[in-house]
Amino acid sequence: MDIRALAVAVGTAAALLSITSFAPQIVKIWREKDASSVSLRTYVVTVTGFCCWIAYGVLIGAWPVIASNLACLLMSGAVLILKRRFDRDDR
């Protein structure tokens, strides 16, 4: 396997793992209808970071960076939406 193919494989694996890493949190919040244990600050910083990565990807014209971080932004954004909806600390 040449170095470019290896880089694509590693990058693809990293993107898929990053994207799916939010799924267990989303499922847990949805099932329990409780997001009080989720750190709002952490997810605000995470969402902001993904926005910066997307901007970076646009600036350098790297669609894999844009696409993977857009997917991560959607997943982490979903956690924030569920946090707002199911946060028992706000009730």
Side-chain angles (χ1 to χ4, degrees):
M1 176 181 283
D2 70 17
I3 194 73
R4 287 182 186 251
L6 179 59
V8 169
V10 170
T12 300
L16 291 173
L17 290 168
S18 294
I19 294 163
T20 58
S21 70
F22 296 99
Q25 185 70 69
I26 292 169
V27 170
K28 182 179 187 301
I29 294 169
W30 189 260
R31 282 187 182 154
E32 296 177 4
K33 307 292 190 236
D34 176 23
S36 60
S37 64
V38 172
S39 170
L40 177 62
R41 288 183 182 134
T42 297
Y43 275 89
V44 167
V45 170
T46 300
V47 164
T48 303
F50 288 133
C51 289
C52 290
W53 274 113
I54 293 166
Y56 172 73
V58 168
L59 290 170
I60 66 169
W63 70 265
V65 172
I66 298 165
S68 63
N69 283 286
L70 181 59
C72 286
L73 175 63
L74 293 173
M75 294 291 280
S76 59
V79 172
L80 278 179
I81 290 167
L82 292 172
K83 171 77 173 164
R84 181 174 168 93
R85 181 172 179 186
F86 295 121
D87 195 353
R88 291 187 181 160
D89 292 341
D90 291 343
R91 292 182 190 172

